Amino acid sequence: VNFTKQMSGCSGTLFVADLHPRVREQELLSRYNNFGTIRNVQVSRDALGKSRGCAYITFENESDAERALTALSETVFYGEKCRAMPNISKVTLGQFVMVLNLPDTGIDAASLADTASFCGDVVTAKVMPWRNKSGGCGFVQFMKEQEAAAWIKRGATELGPSVALQSFGTCWSDWSSILTPLWYAT
């Protein structure tokens, strides 16, 4: 998925998701600093100091963040692929689509995002894990409600014969209490 056209409004900050729990700020800094001056790197941690599996990287210049995003939108730490994307304000969250009845294997966040991108600009995609396999569901976040509606109307049978798509809201508060525990599930 090409996130570079979505950089406006992110102020040069990247959000890195699906980060291996052992990744530290210094490792992110050494991987991303070839693209420009980094003002801040922060791995999100819970109250006990355990990684939540995500981080924020803020570049001095937005153009440096764009270059890093193009080159490293998917990179590997400790054998696990993580995803970098623009850190878009929660005010511009767009529309979420729940993806239900996913097959146990063969579907990851990248293939989910690629499938959905035919209908619009995908901000992020996530397949909910369960015992190192697909948990049978996931979500896709689009930039615009019309794009989400187009994907729901089109369907996603290429992901599996019984895959169902359902609109899931436009506001962070609509679903954050449900999604946050799933997002950080290990």
Side-chain angles (χ1 to χ4, degrees), residues 17-108:
D18 298 332
L19 199 58
H20 189 283
R22 291 187 354 212
V23 175
R24 303 288 180 247
E25 283 85 353
Q26 186 59 39
E27 293 169 284
L28 290 166
L29 183 62
S30 66
R31 183 77 55 99
Y32 285 87
N33 71 355
N34 295 330
F35 298 95
T37 303
I38 295 177
R39 287 191 311 196
N40 187 41
V41 176
Q42 181 179 1
V43 173
S44 181
R45 301 182 189 288
D46 66 16
L48 300 175
K50 180 182 173 190
S51 172
R52 294 180 188 244
C54 62
Y56 298 90
I57 302 170
T58 303
F59 286 83
E60 189 72 32
N61 298 307
E62 189 171 327
S63 61
D64 296 338
E66 289 177 15
R67 285 197 339 259
L69 186 61
T70 300
L72 299 174
S73 64
E74 292 182 355
T75 192
V76 176
F77 287 98
Y78 299 102
E80 292 184 16
K81 189 182 340 179
C82 63
R83 298 173 294 121
M85 62 196 82
N87 183 39
I88 298 172
S89 164
K90 290 179 183 174
V91 175
T92 60
L93 279 175
Q95 177 73 38
F96 296 91
V97 175
M98 285 297 297
V99 184
L100 307 169
N101 304 324
L102 285 171
D104 285 346
T105 59
I107 306 293
D108 61 6

Side-chain angles (χ1 to χ4, degrees), residues 99 107-116 125-127 138-140 151 159:
V99 184
I107 306 293
D108 61 6
S111 61
L112 190 59
D114 287 342
T115 301
K126 178 76 175 176
V127 173
F139 77 91
V140 174
W151 194 41
L159 295 173

Side-chain angles (χ1 to χ4, degrees), residues 115-186:
T115 301
S117 68
F118 288 106
C119 292
D121 294 330
V122 173
V123 176
T124 190
K126 178 76 175 176
V127 173
M128 301 308 165
W130 180 255
R131 297 182 181 170
N132 296 324
K133 295 193 280 186
S134 164
C137 67
F139 77 91
V140 174
Q141 177 187 8
F142 287 91
M143 289 293 286
K144 299 177 183 166
E145 289 182 49
Q146 302 89 329
E147 297 165 344
W151 194 41
I152 291 170
K153 183 176 180 180
R154 177 184 172 274
T157 55
E158 65 272 22
L159 295 173
S162 60
V163 169
L165 304 175
Q166 179 180 342
S167 178
F168 199 57
T170 59
C171 176
W172 177 261
S173 62
D174 287 348
W175 62 276
S176 63
S177 62
I178 296 167
L179 183 61
T180 300
L182 297 173
W183 181 271
Y184 297 121
T186 55

